[in-house]
């Protein structure tokens, strides 16, 4: 496959994630949109790295580390959202914004 196809898929993932992050009120859906955006960026970075240095495995290691960090970040985010929901019944972004003060 050519790098252009990977970049098209990566940009589509990023755009879908951006749309989801900007239009959703649910915290979980917002986090899913952010995850799609990060997935698109990682796919683009991996495609560029493979195009620039195909013999090197550094890009693959970077992608695996980034995906692992994304999984940990999402686990912590869902734990915070679950704790917030259990303690105060907050599941929408506008309700969570009221918790600042």
């Amino acid at each position: 496959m050519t790098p252009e196809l990977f970049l098209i898929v990566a940009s589509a993932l990023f755009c879908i994630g951006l749309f989801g992050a900007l239009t959703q009120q649910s915290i979980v859906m917002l986090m899913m949109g952010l995850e799609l955006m990060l997935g698109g960026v990682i796919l683009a970075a991996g495609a560029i790295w493979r195009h620039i240095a195909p013999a090197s495995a550094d890009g693959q290691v970077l992608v695996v580390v980034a995906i692992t960090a994304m999984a940990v970040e999402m686990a912590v985010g869902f734990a915070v959202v679950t704790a917030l929901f259990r303690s105060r019944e907050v599941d929408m972004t506008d309700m969570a914004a009221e918790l600042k003060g």
Side-chain angles (χ1 to χ4, degrees):
M1 292 183 73
T2 62
E4 291 85 11
L5 293 175
F6 281 110
L7 293 177
I8 289 171
V9 171
S11 65
L13 275 175
F14 188 85
C15 290
I16 291 169
L18 183 64
F19 177 76
L22 292 177
T23 60
Q24 297 298 320
Q25 290 291 320
S26 172
I27 296 173
V28 174
M29 294 300 288
L30 175 72
M31 290 174 59
M32 289 174 65
L34 293 173
E35 193 72 20
L36 278 174
M37 290 170 59
L38 287 172
V41 170
I42 289 173
L43 180 62
I48 295 295
W49 201 299
R50 180 170 167 88
H51 181 68
I52 292 174
S56 176
D58 295 338
Q60 294 172 358
V61 172
L62 179 68
V63 167
V64 168
V65 168
I67 289 174
T68 304
M70 281 175 40
V72 170
E73 173 254 337
M74 288 305 287
V76 170
F78 281 128
V80 168
V81 169
T82 302
L84 190 61
F85 182 76
R86 285 183 180 174
S87 68
R88 302 204 180 164
E89 298 287 325
V90 172
D91 63 346
M92 302 300 243
T93 55
D94 54 349
M95 287 189 245
E98 296 171 359
L99 299 175
K100 285 184 193 176

